[in-house]
Amino acid sequence: MSPQLHSTDPDRLSRDALFSMLRNERRREVIIYLRDREEPVDLRELSEHIAAIENDCSPDEVTYKQRKRVQTALYQMHLPKLADRDIVAYDRRAGRVELADGADDCLAYLDAVSEPNPVSWWRRYLVVAAAVAVPVGLAAVGVTPFAAVPGLGYAVVASAAFVTVSVAQALDER
């Protein structure tokens, strides 16, 4: 499902409203956490999860104060905003939260920008550059057998290596 830029459905969020909802990291984390749950979750569990992310620790290590700070913000501001836009269904009395039908639009954008293992292409280019520079350097100082290879040979190998990595990157980013 690809996100549409202009919605013809009056019940769907406009692109600006959607981006406004996704602008806040806590709201994004709420949507991502709920996406992986089939049942409604308790506000305390959700707050603990987000507090753990914000404090770079496990949910078991989250202090009462850290959890309460996140829970208060979710309860007073973020969940009501998400509920008003039909992104989450939020039962304030029971303290239960789950994704609503409007979350599909958000998920399309969140899935597009969240890649679990991004490729560090700069590292690959650096490896190719080092793999070419070492034999060229050894040839320059006259080390056998590197000195026997003509400069054109090294140029062809270097060009082929960089073209290969560039093509791999282009295919990966498609």
Side-chain angles (χ1 to χ4, degrees):
M1 174 182 183
S2 64
Q4 296 179 349
L5 296 182
H6 302 288
S7 175
T8 57
D9 184 354
D11 293 335
R12 291 183 63 164
L13 288 174
S14 71
R15 183 176 55 174
D16 289 341
L18 183 63
F19 287 166
S20 176
M21 287 291 111
L22 297 176
R23 176 177 56 209
N24 183 276
E25 185 176 359
R26 281 187 180 163
R27 288 194 289 262
R28 289 192 308 270
E29 290 300 336
V30 165
I31 297 165
I32 291 167
Y33 186 75
L34 295 176
R35 171 188 59 195
D36 300 330
R37 307 294 180 279
E38 293 187 19
E39 299 290 322
V41 300
D42 186 66
L43 177 58
R44 179 188 176 107
E45 174 188 341
L46 178 62
S47 302
E48 242 172 37
H49 172 77
I50 293 173
I53 291 171
E54 291 179 359
N55 293 286
D56 196 27
C57 63
S58 72
D60 296 337
E61 297 172 320
V62 171
T63 66
Y64 170 81
K65 188 176 182 179
Q66 291 168 333
R67 181 189 54 80
K68 196 65 175 168
R69 183 175 41 85
V70 171
Q71 185 172 333
T72 301
L74 291 177
Y75 180 84
Q76 291 179 349
M77 181 175 37
H78 299 300
L79 293 177
K81 276 188 176 186
L82 291 168
D84 286 346
R85 298 295 189 158
D86 194 38
I87 295 170
V88 301
Y90 173 45
D91 182 348
R92 282 185 104 138
R93 272 190 244 160
R96 307 290 286 168
V97 186
E98 65 183 320
L99 285 184
D101 293 335
D104 289 342
D105 293 334
C106 296
L107 292 174
Y109 284 102
L110 291 174
D111 290 342
V113 296
S114 64
E115 187 177 312
N117 295 316
V119 176
S120 298
W121 284 103
W122 68 269
R123 286 190 174 112
R124 294 182 182 191
Y125 285 103
L126 189 59
V127 167
V128 169
V132 170
V134 169
V136 168
L138 292 172
V141 294
V143 175
T144 310
F146 300 104
V149 178
L152 182 59
Y154 286 116
V156 169
V157 170
S159 296
F162 281 108
V163 165
T164 302
V165 174
S166 297
V167 168
Q169 181 180 6
L171 291 173
D172 182 61
E173 291 178 355
R174 276 178 113 183

